[in-house]
Amino acid sequence: MKTSNGNTSIMDMFEKGKVLKICSPMVRYSKLAFRSLVRKYNCDICFTPMIVASDFMQSVKARDSEFTTNESDRPLIVQFASQDAQTLADAACVVAPFSDGVDINCGCPQRWAMSAGFGACLINKPELVKDMVTHVRNQVDNPNYTVSIKIRIHKDLRRTVDLCQKAESAGVSWITVHGRTAEERHQPVHYEAIKTIKDSVSIPVIANGDIKYLRDVESTYQLTGVDGVMAARGLLANPAMFTGYEDTPLECIWDWVDFSLEQGTPFTCFHHHLIYMLERVTSQPERKVFNSLSSTSAVIDYLQNTYGTVNDLGT
């Protein structure tokens, strides 16, 4: 694994005057093989799936299964869920040599996360968020290591602005804003709220929510003035989205096969990613057949027989 030398920072990427394109933390999905794939198709920064910091610190098994990386897996942000500042800082110190920053999950709306004291309930605890940022800042021995937060918004946006300004005063590097409240799921994104937050702080702000095509990157920038956009479902459906493809190209599908085989991706994960990638380009009868496949070899045979190989693209 490549060790961070402390001389470079993700923050330098924000100086280039471009809108950064970022792969969201996705439980079960934003793992090493998928990060390798989206990096090949113009993704600037990748996040790990959310990792529960207390489990990570208590179990070697959790550390080995939850955090895998390699030399080319950079820039990399490790996202932690935590309700305790010292546990978070301990976890950050473990991953710091192999990553470029940590992110505090303050946006997960799932009931189990909020009942455990982390996720979206943290947007109502600005002093704890400040404490977490300060602990990581003080204990990771690398001044270029970033500490960011990913939040949802309040119905009363003044509370969100207050949270963001307090986090900024504690030294947070940047803020990702999912433009929905913790109660909202598929409602329209509140772009005006993201713009208000962007205008209220002097640190970079990333917009998250409904980024499905490359054109959404530009439209979101025009609406909000943000420094970057983060995609989740859009990248699952089309990992080549940030290069401008409307649907997953065949080359990308075979790249996924290669990365998965190379890194030993479990079949269920390997198959689920392909189900997402093929959803927009296959008929319902085709999906029924593909979804019922139960081995890697059966999937590869199906892809070769139905779509051909990358070598066939030139014929």
Side-chain angles (χ1 to χ4, degrees), residues 2-38:
K2 186 165 141 188
T3 303
S4 178
N5 58 17
N7 295 329
T8 58
S9 171
I10 283 187
M11 300 311 294
D12 297 335
M13 299 175 71
F14 289 107
E15 303 299 319
K16 296 176 181 176
K18 66 170 186 173
V19 183
L20 293 182
K21 297 181 278 294
I22 302 171
C23 175
S24 176
M26 291 179 275
V27 172
R28 294 186 302 278
Y29 290 119
S30 60
K31 295 203 168 188
L32 176 59
F34 188 71
R35 297 195 301 265
S36 303
L37 181 66
V38 296

Coordinates of all heavy atoms in Angstrom, one line a residue, residues 2-38:
K2 N 0.4 2.2 -0.7 CA 1.2 3.5 -0.8 C 0.9 4.3 0.5 O -0.2 4.5 0.9 CB 0.7 4.2 -2.0 CG 1.4 5.5 -2.3 CD 1.1 5.9 -3.7 CE 0.9 7.4 -3.8 NZ 0.4 7.8 -5.1
T3 N 2.0 4.7 1.1 CA 1.9 5.5 2.3 C 1.9 7.0 1.9 O 2.7 7.4 1.1 CB 3.0 5.2 3.2 OG1 3.0 3.8 3.5 CG2 2.9 5.9 4.5
S4 N 1.0 7.7 2.6 CA 0.9 9.1 2.4 C 2.2 9.8 2.9 O 2.6 9.5 4.0 CB -0.3 9.7 3.1 OG -0.4 11.1 2.9
N5 N 2.8 10.6 2.0 CA 4.1 11.2 2.4 C 3.9 12.6 3.1 O 4.8 13.2 3.5 CB 5.0 11.4 1.2 CG 4.4 12.2 0.1 OD1 3.4 13.0 0.3 ND2 4.9 12.1 -1.1
G6 N 2.6 13.0 3.2 CA 2.3 14.3 3.9 C 2.6 15.5 3.1 O 2.4 16.6 3.6
N7 N 3.1 15.4 1.9 CA 3.5 16.5 1.1 C 2.4 17.0 0.1 O 2.5 18.1 -0.4 CB 4.8 16.2 0.2 CG 6.0 16.0 1.1 OD1 6.1 16.6 2.2 ND2 6.9 15.1 0.7
T8 N 1.4 16.2 -0.1 CA 0.4 16.6 -1.0 C -1.0 16.5 -0.3 O -1.1 15.8 0.7 CB 0.3 15.7 -2.3 OG1 0.2 14.4 -1.9 CG2 1.6 15.9 -3.1
S9 N -2.0 17.3 -0.8 CA -3.3 17.3 -0.1 C -4.3 17.3 -1.2 O -4.2 17.9 -2.3 CB -3.4 18.5 0.8 OG -4.7 18.7 1.2
I10 N -5.4 16.7 -0.9 CA -6.6 16.8 -1.8 C -7.0 18.2 -1.9 O -7.6 18.6 -3.0 CB -7.8 15.9 -1.2 CG1 -7.5 14.5 -1.4 CG2 -9.1 16.4 -1.8 CD1 -8.7 13.6 -1.1
M11 N -6.8 19.0 -0.9 CA -7.2 20.4 -1.0 C -6.6 21.2 -2.2 O -7.2 22.1 -2.8 CB -6.9 21.2 0.3 CG -7.5 20.6 1.5 SD -9.3 20.3 1.4 CE -9.9 22.0 1.2
D12 N -5.4 20.7 -2.7 CA -4.8 21.3 -3.9 C -5.7 21.1 -5.1 O -5.6 21.9 -6.1 CB -3.4 20.7 -4.1 CG -2.5 21.0 -3.0 OD1 -2.7 22.0 -2.3 OD2 -1.5 20.2 -2.8
M13 N -6.5 20.0 -5.1 CA -7.3 19.7 -6.3 C -8.4 20.8 -6.4 O -8.9 21.0 -7.5 CB -8.0 18.3 -6.1 CG -6.9 17.2 -6.1 SD -7.7 15.6 -5.8 CE -8.5 15.3 -7.4
F14 N -8.8 21.4 -5.3 CA -9.9 22.4 -5.4 C -9.4 23.7 -6.0 O -10.2 24.6 -6.2 CB -10.5 22.7 -4.0 CG -11.3 21.5 -3.5 CD1 -10.8 20.7 -2.4 CD2 -12.6 21.3 -4.0 CE1 -11.6 19.7 -1.9 CE2 -13.3 20.2 -3.5 CZ -12.8 19.4 -2.5
E15 N -8.1 23.9 -6.1 CA -7.5 25.1 -6.6 C -7.6 25.2 -8.1 O -7.3 26.3 -8.7 CB -6.0 25.2 -6.2 CG -5.8 25.1 -4.7 CD -6.5 26.3 -3.9 OE1 -6.5 27.4 -4.4 OE2 -7.1 26.0 -2.9
K16 N -7.9 24.2 -8.8 CA -7.8 24.2 -10.3 C -9.0 24.8 -11.0 O -9.0 24.8 -12.2 CB -7.5 22.7 -10.7 CG -6.2 22.1 -10.2 CD -6.1 20.7 -10.7 CE -4.8 20.1 -10.1 NZ -4.7 18.7 -10.5
G17 N -10.0 25.2 -10.2 CA -11.1 25.9 -10.9 C -12.0 25.0 -11.6 O -12.8 25.4 -12.5
K18 N -11.9 23.7 -11.3 CA -12.9 22.8 -12.0 C -13.8 22.2 -11.0 O -13.5 22.3 -9.8 CB -12.1 21.6 -12.7 CG -11.3 20.7 -11.8 CD -10.8 19.5 -12.5 CE -10.2 18.5 -11.6 NZ -9.8 17.3 -12.2
V19 N -14.9 21.6 -11.4 CA -15.8 20.9 -10.5 C -15.4 19.5 -10.4 O -15.4 18.7 -11.3 CB -17.3 21.0 -11.2 CG1 -18.3 20.3 -10.2 CG2 -17.7 22.4 -11.5
L20 N -15.0 19.1 -9.2 CA -14.5 17.8 -8.9 C -15.6 16.8 -9.0 O -16.7 17.1 -8.6 CB -13.8 17.7 -7.5 CG -12.5 18.5 -7.3 CD1 -12.0 18.3 -5.9 CD2 -11.5 18.1 -8.4
K21 N -15.3 15.6 -9.5 CA -16.3 14.5 -9.7 C -15.9 13.4 -8.7 O -14.8 12.9 -8.8 CB -16.3 14.1 -11.1 CG -16.7 15.2 -12.1 CD -16.8 14.7 -13.5 CE -15.4 14.7 -14.2 NZ -14.9 16.1 -14.4
I22 N -16.8 13.1 -7.8 CA -16.5 12.2 -6.7 C -17.5 11.0 -6.6 O -18.7 11.2 -6.8 CB -16.6 13.1 -5.4 CG1 -15.7 14.3 -5.5 CG2 -16.4 12.2 -4.1 CD1 -15.8 15.3 -4.4
C23 N -16.9 9.9 -6.3 CA -17.7 8.7 -6.0 C -18.1 8.6 -4.6 O -17.3 8.6 -3.7 CB -16.9 7.4 -6.4 SG -17.8 5.9 -6.0
S24 N -19.4 8.6 -4.3 CA -20.0 8.6 -3.0 C -19.7 7.3 -2.2 O -19.4 6.3 -2.7 CB -21.5 8.7 -3.1 OG -22.2 8.6 -1.9
P25 N -19.7 7.5 -0.8 CA -19.6 6.2 0.0 C -20.9 5.5 -0.2 O -22.0 6.0 -0.1 CB -19.5 6.8 1.4 CG -20.0 8.2 1.4 CD -19.7 8.7 0.0
M26 N -20.8 4.2 -0.5 CA -22.0 3.3 -0.7 C -21.7 2.0 0.0 O -20.8 1.3 -0.3 CB -22.2 3.1 -2.2 CG -22.7 4.3 -2.9 SD -22.9 4.0 -4.7 CE -21.2 4.2 -5.3
V27 N -22.5 1.7 1.0 CA -22.4 0.5 1.8 C -22.5 -0.7 0.8 O -23.3 -0.8 -0.1 CB -23.5 0.3 2.8 CG1 -23.5 -1.0 3.5 CG2 -23.4 1.4 3.9
R28 N -21.5 -1.6 0.9 CA -21.3 -2.8 0.1 C -20.8 -2.5 -1.3 O -20.3 -3.4 -2.0 CB -22.6 -3.6 0.0 CG -23.1 -4.2 1.3 CD -24.3 -5.2 1.1 NE -25.4 -4.5 0.4 CZ -26.3 -3.7 1.1 NH1 -26.2 -3.6 2.4 NH2 -27.3 -3.2 0.5
Y29 N -20.9 -1.3 -1.8 CA -20.7 -1.1 -3.2 C -19.4 -0.3 -3.5 O -18.7 -0.6 -4.5 CB -21.9 -0.4 -3.9 CG -23.0 -1.4 -4.0 CD1 -24.2 -1.1 -3.4 CD2 -22.9 -2.6 -4.7 CE1 -25.3 -1.9 -3.5 CE2 -24.0 -3.4 -4.8 CZ -25.2 -3.1 -4.2 OH -26.3 -4.0 -4.2
S30 N -19.1 0.8 -2.8 CA -17.9 1.6 -3.2 C -16.6 1.0 -2.6 O -15.8 1.6 -2.0 CB -18.0 3.0 -2.7 OG -18.2 3.1 -1.3
K31 N -16.4 -0.3 -2.9 CA -15.2 -1.0 -2.4 C -14.1 -0.9 -3.5 O -14.3 -0.3 -4.6 CB -15.6 -2.5 -2.1 CG -16.5 -2.6 -0.9 CD -16.5 -3.9 -0.2 CE -17.2 -3.8 1.1 NZ -17.1 -5.0 1.9
L32 N -13.0 -1.5 -3.2 CA -11.8 -1.3 -4.0 C -12.0 -1.6 -5.5 O -11.6 -0.7 -6.4 CB -10.6 -2.1 -3.5 CG -9.3 -2.1 -4.3 CD1 -8.8 -0.7 -4.4 CD2 -8.3 -3.0 -3.6
A33 N -12.6 -2.7 -5.9 CA -12.7 -3.0 -7.3 C -13.6 -1.9 -8.0 O -13.2 -1.5 -9.2 CB -13.4 -4.4 -7.5
F34 N -14.7 -1.5 -7.4 CA -15.5 -0.5 -8.0 C -14.8 0.9 -8.1 O -14.9 1.6 -9.1 CB -16.8 -0.4 -7.3 CG -17.8 0.5 -8.0 CD1 -18.4 0.1 -9.2 CD2 -18.2 1.8 -7.5 CE1 -19.4 0.9 -9.8 CE2 -19.1 2.6 -8.1 CZ -19.7 2.2 -9.3
R35 N -14.1 1.2 -7.0 CA -13.3 2.5 -7.0 C -12.3 2.4 -8.2 O -12.1 3.4 -8.9 CB -12.6 2.7 -5.7 CG -13.6 2.8 -4.5 CD -12.9 3.4 -3.3 NE -11.8 2.6 -2.8 CZ -11.8 1.7 -1.8 NH1 -13.0 1.5 -1.2 NH2 -10.8 1.1 -1.3
S36 N -11.6 1.3 -8.4 CA -10.7 1.1 -9.5 C -11.3 1.4 -10.8 O -10.8 2.0 -11.7 CB -10.1 -0.3 -9.5 OG -9.4 -0.6 -8.2
L37 N -12.6 0.9 -10.9 CA -13.3 1.1 -12.2 C -13.7 2.5 -12.5 O -13.4 3.1 -13.5 CB -14.6 0.2 -12.1 CG -15.5 0.3 -13.4 CD1 -14.8 -0.4 -14.6 CD2 -16.8 -0.4 -13.1
V38 N -14.3 3.2 -11.5 CA -14.7 4.6 -11.7 C -13.5 5.5 -11.9 O -13.6 6.5 -12.6 CB -15.7 5.1 -10.7 CG1 -17.0 4.3 -10.7 CG2 -15.1 5.1 -9.3

